[in-house]
Amino acid sequence: MIFFLQIINKIYAQVDNKSIENNHSFNDTNIRKIQFKFNSLVYVKNNEYFNEIADGYTLIGYYLNPKMSIRLHEKVQIDAGVFLRKEYGRNGLKEIEPTFTVQIKQKDWRFLFGNIEGNLSHRMIEPLLSFERVLSKPLEHGFQAKYQKQEAFFDGWLDWQQTTIAGQTNQEKIWAGMSYYSKAVELKGIKFQAIAQASIYHSGGQNIQNIQPVRTMINPTLGLRIKKEFNQNQAFTLDNYYVGYFESPLQGTAYYLNTFWQNPKYQIGFSYWGGHYFNAPFGNDLMQSTSRKFNNESHYEESRNVLITRIVRDWKVSSKVVVSLRIEPYYDFKNRIMEHSEGLYLKCNL
């Protein structure tokens, strides 16, 4: 504890989640040759929360996505399969969905139509996109443009979550976003990288029988990453972000300050969240001002100040199979509560 406190006094990034991202790889096989692919995640995540903002619960289960893939052209690929999700403690499957993706590759750009690369693959910060969505909402549907070349990264997408029909009660729900990491600039062995992200969520629709208000929530983010790399694939990273919230006539701001140490086997990080009148529709529940706790929707906290310790240990069983252990203690300064979350994940991507 003394060691951790000494570090906290000097430094305040969320950890690297690439090991369990869901990505649609572009085949390196011959044109018109069919290839079988298999993606799965077995998980258990336990949230021990005792505040008035977020519920405590356990998620345990697995999902599978077998699919067939074919390159129709050197730049065009089609993936088609089925997605199955099982939650332990429930009879039958929680979710069964067909999956279909058309992917076009142009140099370092990829354009996806249908099922897109969602959740963790957007590489959004946790206040805007909770890590837990890789478990609770694994599929996203819509359009996506992605670019990656060395450290430079861009992801722009539209996820159509719910549609509506005139005369019915369902609102249409649409989520669009952008995640940008600039090319790194190196000065005296230290890399500097600019980061910009934005999330836009809209719910509404015309000619529907629904008394819920039309809502448009906007969350822009600006950040700076400072990274020092060492021998044996080790690195020390500082991430600092300014985050906004706009939903007419409401608005809020927040600071998200992070650091982590990374080597091939483990990561240790610290994050400080200071939010004021902040809300993001898909962000980490603990970072919101409006309560998401069951039967406690009226509870509101103007400010949220949370310190998070992140400990990640990855075991690379093979190039296609990874086991990841994640332990995250939280300290809520305002309510003086110590909380924690633990997770174990087995990722297969064949």
Side-chain angles (χ1 to χ4, degrees):
M1 285 298 297
I2 293 173
F3 169 74
F4 284 161
L5 289 171
Q6 288 174 340
I7 294 177
I8 293 167
N9 284 332
K10 297 179 181 179
I11 49 178
Y12 281 103
Q14 42 181 63
V15 294
D16 191 331
N17 293 316
K18 293 186 183 70
S19 63
I20 51 177
E21 285 182 0
N22 290 323
N23 293 322
H24 298 271
S25 60
F26 204 84
N27 298 348
D28 56 3
T29 57
N30 295 330
I31 295 174
R32 296 182 183 176
K33 182 178 180 180
I34 296 176
Q35 184 176 7
F36 175 76
K37 294 183 177 181
F38 180 80
N39 173 41
S40 71
L41 182 67
V42 183
Y43 58 86
V44 55
K45 186 175 190 292
N46 177 54
N47 298 334
E48 294 292 334
Y49 301 155
F50 310 100
N51 58 72
E52 296 299 322
I53 291 290
D55 276 314
Y57 51 80
T58 300
L59 296 173
I60 179 169
Y62 64 84
Y63 62 71
L64 314 171
N65 183 205
K67 54 190 174 183
M68 306 302 292
S69 179
I70 183 171
R71 285 182 68 182
L72 299 180
H73 182 270
E74 62 180 8
K75 298 180 180 179
V76 181
Q77 175 178 304
I78 292 178
D79 294 352
V82 62
F83 178 86
L84 308 168
R85 181 153 67 110
K86 169 70 176 179
E87 281 193 354
Y88 300 157
R90 295 172 178 258
N91 293 329
L93 294 171
K94 181 177 177 62
E95 188 175 0
I96 178 168
E97 291 281 347
T99 61
F100 180 79
T101 303
V102 178
Q103 186 173 179
I104 300 172
K105 190 174 189 299
Q106 181 67 35
K107 295 184 179 179
D108 298 311
W109 284 89
R110 292 184 297 124
F111 303 90
L112 291 86
F113 306 84
N115 289 102
I116 64 175
E117 296 178 353
N119 46 73
L120 295 181
S121 297
H122 296 311
R123 300 185 186 175
M124 299 284 278
I125 61 173
E126 183 104 359
L128 299 191
L129 188 61
S130 172
F131 170 89
E132 228 168 75
R133 284 184 70 83
V134 75
L135 313 178
S136 60
K137 298 292 181 183
L139 295 182
E140 293 179 18
H141 315 267
F143 314 96
Q144 184 174 38
K146 297 195 77 170
Y147 171 89
Q148 185 160 9
K149 187 174 183 180
Q150 297 177 343
E151 300 101 336
F153 174 85
F154 174 84
D155 184 1
W157 71 91
L158 184 147
D159 174 29
W160 198 284
Q161 299 182 345
Q162 182 171 285
T163 191
T164 186
I165 300 174
Q168 295 192 1
T169 59
N170 291 338
Q171 288 184 317
E172 64 182 11
K173 297 181 179 180
I174 307 166
W175 179 44
M178 180 275 292
S179 178
Y180 168 73
Y181 293 72
S182 73
K183 181 180 178 181
V185 176
E186 187 168 348
L187 297 173
K188 296 183 178 180
I190 301 175
K191 293 183 177 180
F192 297 85
Q193 194 172 15
I195 301 171
Q197 299 181 344
S199 168
I200 303 174
Y201 175 75
H202 173 76
S203 61
Q206 296 179 332
N207 302 320
I208 58 174
Q209 300 179 23
N210 192 309
I211 62 173
Q212 296 296 319
V214 174
R215 300 185 66 184
T216 301
M217 302 174 67
I218 303 174
N219 295 106
T221 300
L222 291 175
L224 175 66
R225 172 168 293 175
I226 303 172
K227 186 175 183 178
K228 173 64 176 177
E229 296 178 340
F230 301 91
N231 294 333
Q232 300 176 341
N233 296 320
Q234 300 186 80
F236 177 77
T237 304
L238 288 167
D239 279 4
N240 296 298
Y241 300 91
Y242 174 81
V243 193
Y245 160 62
F246 300 94
E247 182 182 11
S248 181
L250 307 174
Q251 58 181 327
T253 58
Y255 294 95
Y256 187 45
L257 311 175
N258 305 264
T259 186
F260 70 91
W261 172 267
Q262 180 182 17
N263 73 19
K265 292 185 178 181
Y266 66 87
Q267 301 176 61
I268 298 177
F270 299 93
S271 299
Y272 172 77
W273 170 254
H276 188 64
Y277 293 107
F278 182 85
N279 285 292
F282 307 122
N284 186 316
D285 290 352
L286 293 173
M287 299 174 175
Q288 314 304 311
S289 288
T290 301
S291 176
R292 296 178 178 175
K293 196 177 181 73
F294 176 70
N295 281 343
N296 200 34
E297 294 84 355
S298 62
H299 182 77
Y300 190 86
E301 296 184 10
E302 294 181 7
S303 299
R304 294 283 296 159
N305 298 282
V306 182
L307 178 66
I308 308 167
T309 303
R310 305 179 192 271
I311 303 169
V312 178
R313 176 69 164 92
D314 289 337
W315 291 269
K316 193 172 182 180
V317 180
S318 73
S319 61
K320 305 294 185 180
V321 180
V322 176
V323 176
S324 183
L325 172 67
R326 293 165 182 250
I327 301 172
E328 296 179 323
Y330 301 82
Y331 183 73
D332 183 334
F333 287 98
K334 180 180 179 180
N335 298 302
R336 299 181 180 180
I337 300 174
M338 190 73 184
E339 303 168 302
H340 55 94
S341 174
E342 302 81 31
L344 184 64
Y345 310 91
L346 172 62
K347 176 70 175 179
C348 300
N349 197 357
L350 310 178

